[in-house]
Amino acid sequence: MNEILEGLRQAAHLIVTLDRDLIEISLRSLRVTLTAVAVASAIGLPLGCWLAVRRFRYRRIVIATMNALMGLPPVVVGLIVYLLLSRSGPFGVFGLLFTPTAMIIAQVIILTPLIASISHQAIRELWAEYHDLLISLNTTRRQRITTLLWDGRRALLTAALAGFGRGIGEVGAIMIVGGNIDNATRVLTTAIALETGKGNFSLALALGFVLIGLAILVNLIIHSLSRTEVSDRW
Protein backbone atom coordinates (compact mmCIF):
# COMPACT_ATOMS: atom_id res chain seq x y z
CA MET A 1 0.00 0.00 0.00
CA ASN A 2 2.87 2.35 0.80
CA GLU A 3 4.36 1.70 -2.65
CA ILE A 4 1.08 2.68 -4.31
CA LEU A 5 0.75 5.88 -2.27
CA GLU A 6 4.37 6.76 -2.99
CA GLY A 7 3.75 6.08 -6.67
CA LEU A 8 0.79 8.46 -6.66
CA ARG A 9 2.87 11.10 -4.91
CA GLN A 10 5.72 10.79 -7.41
CA ALA A 11 3.30 10.82 -10.34
CA ALA A 12 1.75 14.05 -9.07
CA HIS A 13 5.21 15.54 -8.52
CA LEU A 14 6.37 14.62 -12.05
CA ILE A 15 3.25 16.15 -13.60
CA VAL A 16 3.17 19.31 -11.51
CA THR A 17 6.87 20.03 -12.09
CA LEU A 18 6.52 19.19 -15.82
CA ASP A 19 9.46 16.80 -15.64
CA ARG A 20 11.34 17.07 -18.94
CA ASP A 21 12.02 13.34 -19.29
CA LEU A 22 8.39 12.52 -18.52
CA ILE A 23 7.11 14.99 -21.12
CA GLU A 24 9.54 13.67 -23.74
CA ILE A 25 8.67 10.03 -23.07
CA SER A 26 4.92 10.74 -22.97
CA LEU A 27 4.98 12.67 -26.26
CA ARG A 28 6.98 9.90 -27.90
CA SER A 29 4.49 7.33 -26.64
CA LEU A 30 1.61 9.35 -28.08
CA ARG A 31 3.37 9.98 -31.38
CA VAL A 32 4.19 6.31 -31.93
CA THR A 33 0.78 4.99 -30.90
CA LEU A 34 -1.36 7.63 -32.63
CA THR A 35 0.61 7.20 -35.86
CA ALA A 36 0.25 3.44 -35.68
CA VAL A 37 -3.50 3.73 -34.97
CA ALA A 38 -3.95 6.12 -37.91
CA VAL A 39 -2.15 3.76 -40.31
CA ALA A 40 -3.87 0.65 -38.92
CA SER A 41 -7.26 2.37 -39.16
CA ALA A 42 -6.60 3.42 -42.76
CA ILE A 43 -6.02 -0.26 -43.54
CA GLY A 44 -8.35 -2.02 -41.09
CA LEU A 45 -11.53 0.05 -41.38
CA PRO A 46 -11.96 -0.28 -45.17
CA LEU A 47 -10.85 -3.92 -44.97
CA GLY A 48 -13.46 -4.75 -42.34
CA CYS A 49 -16.14 -2.95 -44.33
CA TRP A 50 -15.09 -4.66 -47.58
CA LEU A 51 -15.32 -8.08 -45.94
CA ALA A 52 -18.82 -7.25 -44.73
CA VAL A 53 -20.02 -6.23 -48.20
CA ARG A 54 -18.05 -8.49 -50.52
CA ARG A 55 -18.84 -12.15 -51.07
CA PHE A 56 -16.12 -14.45 -52.39
CA ARG A 57 -15.10 -18.09 -52.13
CA TYR A 58 -12.68 -18.00 -49.21
CA ARG A 59 -14.34 -15.16 -47.32
CA ARG A 60 -15.02 -17.18 -44.16
CA ILE A 61 -11.41 -18.36 -44.04
CA VAL A 62 -10.16 -14.79 -44.38
CA ILE A 63 -12.47 -13.58 -41.61
CA ALA A 64 -11.49 -16.46 -39.32
CA THR A 65 -7.81 -15.77 -39.97
CA MET A 66 -8.28 -12.07 -39.28
CA ASN A 67 -10.05 -12.83 -36.00
CA ALA A 68 -7.30 -15.25 -35.02
CA LEU A 69 -4.65 -12.60 -35.69
CA MET A 70 -6.28 -10.41 -33.04
CA GLY A 71 -4.46 -12.58 -30.52
CA LEU A 72 -1.12 -12.38 -32.32
CA PRO A 73 1.63 -12.45 -29.64
CA PRO A 74 3.38 -9.06 -29.65
CA VAL A 75 6.79 -10.61 -28.94
CA VAL A 76 6.45 -12.75 -32.07
CA VAL A 77 5.58 -9.66 -34.10
CA GLY A 78 8.57 -7.89 -32.58
CA LEU A 79 10.86 -10.79 -33.49
CA ILE A 80 9.63 -10.91 -37.09
CA VAL A 81 9.97 -7.14 -37.55
CA TYR A 82 13.42 -7.29 -35.94
CA LEU A 83 14.57 -9.95 -38.41
CA LEU A 84 13.14 -8.02 -41.36
CA LEU A 85 14.79 -4.74 -40.33
CA SER A 86 18.11 -6.11 -39.08
CA ARG A 87 21.27 -5.64 -41.14
CA SER A 88 20.99 -9.16 -42.55
CA GLY A 89 17.26 -8.76 -43.23
CA PRO A 90 15.63 -7.70 -46.52
CA PHE A 91 14.93 -4.17 -45.25
CA GLY A 92 18.11 -3.69 -43.25
CA VAL A 93 19.44 -1.23 -45.82
CA PHE A 94 16.94 1.38 -44.58
CA GLY A 95 18.41 1.43 -41.06
CA LEU A 96 15.03 1.46 -39.36
CA LEU A 97 15.81 -0.90 -36.49
CA PHE A 98 15.85 0.74 -33.03
CA THR A 99 13.95 3.78 -34.30
CA PRO A 100 10.40 5.03 -33.64
CA THR A 101 9.55 4.00 -37.20
CA ALA A 102 10.27 0.34 -36.39
CA MET A 103 8.05 0.65 -33.32
CA ILE A 104 5.24 2.06 -35.46
CA ILE A 105 5.58 -0.78 -37.98
CA ALA A 106 5.31 -3.38 -35.21
CA GLN A 107 2.26 -1.68 -33.73
CA VAL A 108 0.55 -1.43 -37.12
CA ILE A 109 0.91 -5.19 -37.59
CA ILE A 110 -0.55 -5.80 -34.12
CA LEU A 111 -3.41 -3.30 -34.36
CA THR A 112 -4.66 -3.80 -37.92
CA PRO A 113 -6.36 -7.21 -37.33
CA LEU A 114 -8.00 -5.87 -34.15
CA ILE A 115 -9.40 -2.76 -35.83
CA ALA A 116 -10.45 -4.69 -38.95
CA SER A 117 -12.25 -7.37 -36.93
CA ILE A 118 -14.20 -4.92 -34.76
CA SER A 119 -15.12 -2.78 -37.76
CA HIS A 120 -16.25 -5.88 -39.67
CA GLN A 121 -18.63 -6.84 -36.86
CA ALA A 122 -20.08 -3.31 -36.75
CA ILE A 123 -20.43 -2.87 -40.51
CA ARG A 124 -21.92 -6.35 -40.98
CA GLU A 125 -24.92 -5.31 -38.87
CA LEU A 126 -25.31 -2.06 -40.81
CA TRP A 127 -25.02 -3.91 -44.11
CA ALA A 128 -27.83 -6.28 -43.09
CA GLU A 129 -29.98 -3.21 -42.37
CA TYR A 130 -29.07 -1.18 -45.48
CA HIS A 131 -28.56 -4.03 -47.95
CA ASP A 132 -31.87 -3.80 -49.80
CA LEU A 133 -31.83 0.02 -49.92
CA LEU A 134 -28.30 0.30 -51.29
CA ILE A 135 -28.92 -2.46 -53.84
CA SER A 136 -32.16 -0.82 -55.01
CA LEU A 137 -30.32 2.47 -55.54
CA ASN A 138 -27.92 0.66 -57.86
CA THR A 139 -24.88 1.89 -55.93
CA THR A 140 -21.37 0.75 -56.74
CA ARG A 141 -19.37 -1.28 -54.23
CA ARG A 142 -17.22 1.76 -53.49
CA GLN A 143 -20.31 3.88 -52.77
CA ARG A 144 -21.70 1.21 -50.47
CA ILE A 145 -18.46 0.99 -48.50
CA THR A 146 -18.22 4.78 -48.25
CA THR A 147 -21.83 5.04 -47.05
CA LEU A 148 -21.40 2.30 -44.47
CA LEU A 149 -18.15 3.78 -43.18
CA TRP A 150 -19.76 7.18 -42.72
CA ASP A 151 -22.98 5.93 -41.14
CA GLY A 152 -21.09 3.58 -38.83
CA ARG A 153 -18.45 6.14 -37.86
CA ARG A 154 -19.30 6.03 -34.17
CA ALA A 155 -18.87 2.26 -34.00
CA LEU A 156 -15.70 2.55 -36.06
CA LEU A 157 -14.40 5.15 -33.62
CA THR A 158 -14.74 2.48 -30.95
CA ALA A 159 -12.60 0.17 -33.08
CA ALA A 160 -9.91 2.84 -33.39
CA LEU A 161 -10.03 3.53 -29.66
CA ALA A 162 -9.67 -0.17 -28.95
CA GLY A 163 -6.58 -0.12 -31.13
CA PHE A 164 -5.24 2.88 -29.25
CA GLY A 165 -5.85 1.18 -25.92
CA ARG A 166 -3.87 -1.86 -26.98
CA GLY A 167 -1.14 0.14 -28.66
CA ILE A 168 -0.45 2.57 -25.81
CA GLY A 169 0.06 -0.35 -23.43
CA GLU A 170 2.24 -2.42 -25.74
CA VAL A 171 5.69 -3.33 -24.42
CA GLY A 172 6.89 -6.66 -25.88
CA ALA A 173 7.27 -5.79 -29.54
CA ILE A 174 8.28 -2.21 -28.72
CA MET A 175 11.11 -3.39 -26.51
CA ILE A 176 12.45 -5.75 -29.18
CA VAL A 177 12.43 -3.41 -32.18
CA GLY A 178 12.94 -0.14 -30.29
CA GLY A 179 15.60 -1.18 -27.83
CA ASN A 180 14.38 1.16 -25.06
CA ILE A 181 17.08 3.72 -25.93
CA ASP A 182 17.06 6.83 -23.76
CA ASN A 183 16.12 10.03 -25.64
CA ALA A 184 15.44 7.96 -28.76
CA THR A 185 12.97 5.08 -28.43
CA ARG A 186 12.04 4.96 -24.74
CA VAL A 187 8.30 5.16 -24.17
CA LEU A 188 6.18 4.92 -21.03
CA THR A 189 5.74 1.13 -21.12
CA THR A 190 9.43 0.37 -21.65
CA ALA A 191 10.37 2.94 -19.02
CA ILE A 192 8.07 1.16 -16.55
CA ALA A 193 9.69 -2.18 -17.40
CA LEU A 194 13.14 -0.65 -16.92
CA GLU A 195 12.34 0.93 -13.55
CA THR A 196 10.68 -2.27 -12.33
CA GLY A 197 13.78 -4.25 -13.28
CA LYS A 198 15.90 -1.78 -11.32
CA GLY A 199 13.64 -2.24 -8.28
CA ASN A 200 12.43 1.37 -8.43
CA PHE A 201 8.80 0.41 -7.90
CA SER A 202 7.60 3.86 -6.84
CA LEU A 203 8.77 5.50 -10.06
CA ALA A 204 7.45 2.57 -12.08
CA LEU A 205 4.04 3.02 -10.47
CA ALA A 206 4.21 6.76 -11.06
CA LEU A 207 4.86 6.19 -14.75
CA GLY A 208 2.05 3.64 -14.77
CA PHE A 209 -0.41 6.13 -13.32
CA VAL A 210 0.70 8.70 -15.91
CA LEU A 211 0.16 6.11 -18.66
CA ILE A 212 -3.35 5.32 -17.45
CA GLY A 213 -4.19 9.01 -17.13
CA LEU A 214 -2.85 9.70 -20.62
CA ALA A 215 -4.95 6.92 -22.14
CA ILE A 216 -8.11 8.18 -20.39
CA LEU A 217 -7.40 11.79 -21.44
CA VAL A 218 -6.95 10.89 -25.12
CA ASN A 219 -10.16 8.86 -25.10
CA LEU A 220 -12.11 11.73 -23.55
CA ILE A 221 -10.70 14.21 -26.06
CA ILE A 222 -11.57 12.00 -29.03
CA HIS A 223 -15.10 11.39 -27.71
CA SER A 224 -15.54 15.13 -27.18
CA LEU A 225 -14.28 16.08 -30.64
CA SER A 226 -16.35 13.41 -32.36
CA ARG A 227 -19.49 14.48 -30.45
CA THR A 228 -20.36 10.89 -29.49
CA GLU A 229 -22.36 12.05 -26.48
CA VAL A 230 -25.95 12.58 -27.55
CA SER A 231 -28.82 13.50 -25.21
CA ASP A 232 -26.60 13.06 -22.17
CA ARG A 233 -25.82 9.46 -23.10
CA TRP A 234 -22.65 7.92 -24.55
Side-chain angles (χ1 to χ4, degrees):
M1 188 64 182
N2 290 334
E3 292 288 351
I4 296 177
L5 293 176
E6 179 62 21
L8 286 170
R9 189 195 67 79
Q10 286 201 30
H13 175 74
L14 290 173
I15 295 173
V16 171
T17 59
L18 296 177
D19 183 78
R20 192 183 72 172
D21 290 338
L22 175 65
I23 298 300
E24 178 188 353
I25 292 174
S26 299
L27 290 177
R28 187 179 300 115
S29 298
L30 279 177
R31 184 173 74 250
V32 169
T33 302
L34 289 176
T35 303
V37 169
V39 175
S41 296
I43 300 171
L45 296 181
L47 175 61
C49 188
W50 183 77
L51 287 173
V53 174
R54 186 78 165 88
R55 296 294 185 271
F56 54 94
R57 185 173 183 180
Y58 300 106
R59 175 174 173 270
R60 293 183 182 275
I61 296 177
V62 173
I63 294 174
T65 302
M66 181 180 67
N67 292 335
L69 290 176
M70 290 175 61
L72 196 63
V75 289
V76 175
V77 174
L79 176 59
I80 294 173
V81 175
Y82 180 94
L83 294 175
L84 292 174
L85 300 182
S86 64
R87 289 184 180 275
S88 59
F91 305 107
V93 65
F94 297 108
L96 297 177
L97 193 62
F98 302 136
T99 66
T101 301
M103 298 159 66
I104 292 171
I105 293 172
Q107 283 205 5
V108 168
I109 296 174
I110 294 171
L111 301 182
T112 298
L114 174 65
I115 294 175
S117 182
I118 296 176
S119 64
H120 169 258
Q121 296 294 330
I123 295 301
R124 185 175 63 178
E125 296 178 4
L126 277 178
W127 177 237
E129 181 180 349
Y130 292 174
H131 176 272
D132 293 341
L133 175 61
L134 293 176
I135 294 297
S136 65
L137 293 176
N138 198 28
T139 56
T140 64
R141 185 172 293 114
R142 182 175 181 179
Q143 290 173 326
R144 296 169 192 170
I145 291 176
T146 302
T147 300
L148 291 173
L149 285 174
W150 174 252
D151 201 64
R153 60 190 181 278
R154 300 189 190 282
L156 299 180
L157 174 64
T158 302
L161 289 177
F164 174 80
R166 182 171 183 184
I168 196 69
E170 173 53 40
V171 61
I174 295 300
M175 186 78 79
I176 294 175
V177 302
N180 197 21
I181 303 172
D182 193 18
N183 298 319
T185 59
R186 183 166 298 167
V187 292
L188 284 170
T189 51
T190 56
I192 293 171
L194 175 65
E195 297 302 330
T196 301
K198 291 163 57 178
N200 195 351
F201 300 114
S202 296
L203 181 55
L205 276 171
L207 293 171
F209 291 134
V210 171
L211 177 62
I212 294 172
L214 195 63
I216 294 175
L217 179 62
V218 170
N219 274 266
L220 289 175
I221 291 174
I222 293 177
H223 274 299
S224 176
L225 293 177
S226 60
R227 304 176 67 86
T228 55
E229 187 176 1
V230 180
S231 299
D232 298 327
R233 294 186 303 173
W234 288 94

